[in-house]
Amino acid sequence: MQIQNLFQPFDIEFVRVDECPIKMHKNTFFELAYIVEGEGIYHIDQNKFNYNADNLFLLMPFEVQFTKVKRTTTFLFIRFNNIYFRAQKPSEQHSNLNGWIQKLEYIFQNNNYQQGCIIRNVPDKPLVRSLVAAIIQEYVNQGTLQQELVQQLVNTLIIVVARNISMHVADKTQVNNSALLDILHYIHLNIYNSERLKAETIAAHFNISLNYIGEYFKKHTGQNLQQYIINYKLSLVEVRLLHSDMRLNEIAYEFGFTDESHLTKTFKKNKGITPTEYRKGSIAAIF
């Protein structure tokens, strides 16, 4: 089976084909696949999804994938490699990718279920279509500042994707309380800043009593507030372990653990194995 690699931060491919452009394969990167026109079936791991024009799929690293083209199809592929997970550090406050990385991670950590086309909010479909058309136009014309403009268009597309996934997650978990969703989004966006994740800080930010916020959170999610934060941190740690070559002390620093030992103890307590064991086991499973 082919394994596709990407050696730059992101890449775009625009193709019109009568058969799958790449036979059964795995990618070592993340990929957005938009169907400009055409009809067929998208095979992703053990799942099959019928695709048509205006469908958008999010493909995860190392998923087995291929398409069966029924009618001539035009694809736009937007690809991201692991630099988005290992290059961003909290100290890089002026990086123009820092906010983008957090949006991407929100998408990836909440897309751990197969759902086919990622755009579920009907009013977003014409917006996505317009963004894709603009990306294609810049890709084809190769005008001045093309790279910078395409990156901004892709940023906007990612925000739309994030909104649609967050809406689907809300439906899936039956969390329909808008105030609670605001708290969840606050946690996701501040996951790198331990000070902002203290219960008293969250309570003050949302003007909720410190004595009530824990009860409120557990009532609506069934989870303890601090345990939810730990679980979310560790889910991002798993991404670092699997999709980057960052050292444990670097990961510990990024997510506010005291040191490598603190990260290891927390990870093992919650996951049953050490981060090193997880990394070795995951890599072995891939290959």
Side-chain angles (χ1 to χ4, degrees):
M1 180 183 299
Q2 295 184 36
I3 296 181
Q4 302 292 315
N5 297 297
L6 184 66
F7 301 104
Q8 52 191 339
F10 79 94
D11 186 40
I12 290 176
E13 183 179 7
F14 179 53
V15 295
R16 179 180 172 85
V17 296
D18 292 316
E19 61 181 24
C20 181
I22 306 175
K23 301 301 182 183
M24 185 181 295
H25 67 284
K26 296 179 181 180
N27 295 331
T28 60
F29 47 85
F30 301 89
E31 183 174 60
L32 287 170
Y34 184 82
I35 314 301
V36 179
E37 61 179 352
E39 181 182 353
I41 301 174
Y42 225 123
H43 294 254
I44 305 173
D45 282 340
Q46 302 302 314
N47 300 280
K48 299 179 182 179
F49 303 103
N50 292 320
Y51 73 72
N52 294 283
D54 297 334
N55 285 172
L56 179 65
F57 296 86
L58 173 60
L59 292 306
M60 307 294 283
F62 302 107
E63 288 182 330
V64 178
Q65 58 168 292
F66 66 96
T67 57
K68 181 178 179 181
V69 178
K70 293 183 177 179
R71 184 165 57 85
T72 302
T73 300
T74 302
F75 294 96
L76 175 68
F77 296 107
I78 302 173
R79 296 158 177 153
F80 311 87
N81 76 0
N82 297 338
I83 192 172
Y84 286 99
F85 294 109
R86 66 174 180 262
Q88 301 306 305
K89 304 288 181 64
S91 59
E92 296 175 337
Q93 296 297 323
H94 301 294
S95 169
N96 66 340
L97 295 177
N98 196 42
W100 193 7
I101 295 306
Q102 294 187 15
K103 293 181 180 68
L104 281 171
E105 289 193 326
Y106 177 80
I107 293 171
F108 301 148
Q109 294 310 308
N110 288 284
N111 193 53
N112 54 358
Y113 49 87
Q114 293 290 350
Q115 62 176 21
C117 177
I118 209 76
I119 304 300
R120 299 297 184 87
N121 186 33
V122 175
D124 281 338
K125 288 183 179 292
L127 173 58
V128 171
R129 190 183 307 118
S130 297
L131 288 168
V132 167
I135 291 170
I136 292 171
Q137 179 178 321
E138 289 300 317
Y139 175 83
V140 172
N141 293 340
Q142 296 288 312
T144 304
L145 297 177
Q146 179 261 355
Q147 182 81 1
E148 291 80 359
L149 182 54
V150 167
Q151 183 168 324
Q152 293 304 314
L153 291 168
V154 171
N155 284 350
T156 304
L157 177 61
I158 286 170
I159 293 172
V160 177
V161 170
R163 175 165 68 186
N164 278 264
I165 290 180
S166 67
M167 291 170 64
H168 187 69
V169 170
D171 292 340
K172 184 171 180 286
T173 57
Q174 296 183 335
V175 177
N176 298 313
N177 186 307
S178 61
L180 180 61
L181 286 175
D182 287 342
I183 294 175
L184 293 177
H185 293 167
Y186 174 92
I187 291 171
H188 298 156
L189 292 175
N190 290 284
I191 200 67
Y192 304 96
N193 191 325
S194 296
E195 287 297 315
R196 292 182 181 177
L197 295 178
K198 291 181 178 179
E200 55 267 31
T201 305
I202 298 175
H205 182 85
F206 290 98
N207 197 28
I208 300 175
S209 165
L210 176 60
N211 294 328
Y212 179 62
I213 190 167
E215 177 185 343
Y216 174 83
F217 191 88
K218 188 168 186 178
K219 175 183 177 181
H220 290 284
T221 68
Q223 300 181 59
N224 175 278
L225 174 62
Q226 289 305 314
Q227 189 59 49
Y228 177 89
I229 292 171
I230 291 172
N231 289 341
Y232 187 67
K233 275 191 179 184
L234 293 181
S235 70
L236 295 179
V237 169
E238 288 178 342
V239 172
R240 298 293 189 275
L241 294 171
L242 182 57
H243 301 300
S244 86
D245 56 6
M246 289 175 67
R247 297 188 296 272
L248 290 185
N249 64 331
E250 294 176 318
I251 298 173
Y253 173 78
E254 182 178 17
F255 289 102
F257 292 96
T258 305
D259 51 28
E260 181 180 329
S261 175
H262 182 205
L263 169 60
T264 298
K265 289 178 180 178
T266 303
F267 194 93
K268 186 170 184 178
K269 178 181 177 182
N270 288 271
K271 303 294 183 179
I273 58 175
T274 68
T276 300
E277 291 169 338
Y278 177 85
R279 174 173 265 168
K280 289 180 179 178
S282 298
I283 292 174
I286 290 168
F287 296 101

